[in-house]
Amino acid sequence: MNVHDSERLAGLLEEAGYVPADAGSDADLVVFNTCAVRENADNKLYGNLGMLRPAKSRNPRMQIAVGGCLAQKDRDTVVDKAPWVDVVFGTHNIGSLPVLLERARHNDEAQVEILESLDAFPSTLPAKRESPYAGWVSISVGCNNTCTFCIVPALRGKEIDRRPGDILAEVQALVDQGVLEVTLLGQNVNAYGASFADPELPRDRGAFASLLKACGQIDGLERVRFTSPHPAEFTDDVIEAMASTPNICPTLHMPLQSGSDRILKSMRRSYRQSKFLGIIDKVRAAMPHAAITTDIIVGFPGETEEDFEQTLEVLRRARFSNAYTFQYSKRPGTPAADMADQVPKEVVQERYLRLIALQEEIVLDANRELVGSDVELLVASNEGRKNAATHRMSGRARDGRLVHFSTEDHRGEQIRPGDVVTTSITAAAPYHLIADAGVRTHRRTAAGDAYERGELPKTAPIGVGLGLPTIGAPAPLPVQTGCNA
């Protein structure tokens, strides 16, 4: 979600006349798009702002802007801690950035503008995409859940869903520019259809499954992914849509958070272990080779050894292909932050290491079972740190697994990121697969052509706003972006 917001910010700035600063050069503008889910985000921001202070002193015309969730949370605190910041804006008004920058220049003072509700869908802003072959498309913004550990609903607001036609138009615009893969984004995608902003659209609990099937009708769209669903509202029609729509990838991210029913109740996660595992069983029955990933929090307040063992038991039964694991981080403003029985840091760390060890064992066993199988890869850029030394390239399989493949014996045309190849798996590791059997087939694509030319997709405004004025027209971790005016 934050990466996609950064694409919108880049599109806005480019439309306002900015161009990306060359690597290593002094930028006229640096924008931080921040996260607030974990405490280290705060520390990173203020550390980076401190490192920029000498550059700001050398060039008083330089501007620094801070946006996103942490800005929404801290508001005036940002300028209090770092008075050399020029603009602070929140999650609800990213479209205001160019105007706020101009106002800060004109008034020669910091501009802080934090709205309490969304002024426009992100899709009504321009976007400069980060990839020529894969794109993000928001289907909703905000969240109606009340998880006790999560600050996102307080910072992003209540869920508002986009019209299906607007979503499909944005997908088509990306495909028209050569994009092969689209990921549908929402804080809770399977609640899509319950909170349409357009009053003429009725509440429709089957809207997400229908949207997935509609994506299957778009010529040239080869892969569709989505993130993230919520187990409490995950329905059988979504599984059926995934299994019956050829371009829906056989992968599912299903956040668990904890395997303990007692902790799930304390988290206000409105499902229990049996329901979660039931969903996993249904998905695997419909798509036996689906790769299922999850999120897990270790050390939530009150978690006992017995509770933690329940989480380990779910890992053993679900056999996730990957797990994004986090040590519980107390976030001020959330109910969990004030709960009794905060788990000591050393206990959390010890449990976390046990969780990682078990998950790596499970993943390695599953990956070893894939050795000898054939795989279709969408070639990716910057996914393999050792590729130059090993004479390999990297790509993502349809199930999302990362595969590093050998190009030493390839005698055909140059393989580019965005192209599609087939090969066979020869070795496995916990976090990737190796394919040194040689490239069997290579298909050049329009996305590969765009990569070779150095061109990135741009999308113009798509859809309607929320009845308020909008500004302009329409990876992996949020990053700081340098621009030159």
Side-chain angles (χ1 to χ4, degrees), residues 70-85:
L70 194 146
Q72 187 83 21
K73 176 176 73 75
D74 282 2
R75 301 171 184 250
D76 294 326
T77 304
V78 176
V79 176
D80 290 341
K81 289 186 175 181
W84 53 95
V85 169

Side-chain angles (χ1 to χ4, degrees), residues 441-462:
T441 66
H442 168 214
R443 173 160 56 89
R444 292 170 69 88
T445 67
D449 295 341
Y451 181 88
E452 195 168 22
R453 294 191 300 266
E455 295 177 358
L456 294 172
K458 298 178 182 178
T459 47
I462 295 175

Side-chain angles (χ1 to χ4, degrees), residues 181 212 222-226 238-239 241-253 283-284 286-293 321 370 375-376 396-401:
E181 176 180 299
L212 291 177
E222 299 190 14
R223 299 184 176 191
V224 179
R225 307 185 191 277
F226 58 87
V238 173
I239 300 174
M242 293 176 66
S244 64
T245 309
N247 65 355
I248 306 298
C249 291
T251 181
L252 177 66
H253 184 71
V283 171
R284 292 227 164 96
M287 295 172 287
H289 301 296
I292 302 175
T293 60
S321 63
L370 297 173
V375 63
E376 177 196 86
R396 291 281 175 179
R398 292 187 60 82
D399 64 8
R401 285 182 168 92

Side-chain angles (χ1 to χ4, degrees), residues 221-234:
L221 179 58
E222 299 190 14
R223 299 184 176 191
V224 179
R225 307 185 191 277
F226 58 87
T227 193
S228 291
H230 192 292
E233 297 178 272
F234 198 80

Side-chain angles (χ1 to χ4, degrees), residues 376-399:
E376 177 196 86
L377 305 178
L378 176 56
V379 182
S381 62
N382 302 318
E383 291 267 26
R385 292 175 296 171
K386 300 178 181 179
N387 282 352
T390 59
H391 304 287
R392 294 188 181 112
M393 297 183 72
S394 302
R396 291 281 175 179
R398 292 187 60 82
D399 64 8

Side-chain angles (χ1 to χ4, degrees), residues 48-72:
N48 284 322
L49 289 175
M51 288 191 294
L52 279 179
R53 188 173 189 178
K56 176 81 170 182
S57 298
R58 291 193 303 269
N59 178 15
R61 293 184 63 254
M62 176 188 183
Q63 289 190 297
I64 301 170
V66 177
C69 287
L70 194 146
Q72 187 83 21

Side-chain angles (χ1 to χ4, degrees), residues 188-252:
N188 181 7
V189 291
N190 50 307
Y192 175 74
S195 307
F196 283 126
D198 188 339
E200 296 182 2
L201 292 175
R203 180 185 178 95
D204 181 5
R205 282 296 187 185
F208 185 58
S210 298
L211 181 64
L212 291 177
K213 291 183 176 180
C215 287
Q217 304 301 312
I218 298 178
D219 290 338
L221 179 58
E222 299 190 14
R223 299 184 176 191
V224 179
R225 307 185 191 277
F226 58 87
T227 193
S228 291
H230 192 292
E233 297 178 272
F234 198 80
T235 50
D236 292 348
D237 60 342
V238 173
I239 300 174
E240 189 277 328
M242 293 176 66
S244 64
T245 309
N247 65 355
I248 306 298
C249 291
T251 181
L252 177 66

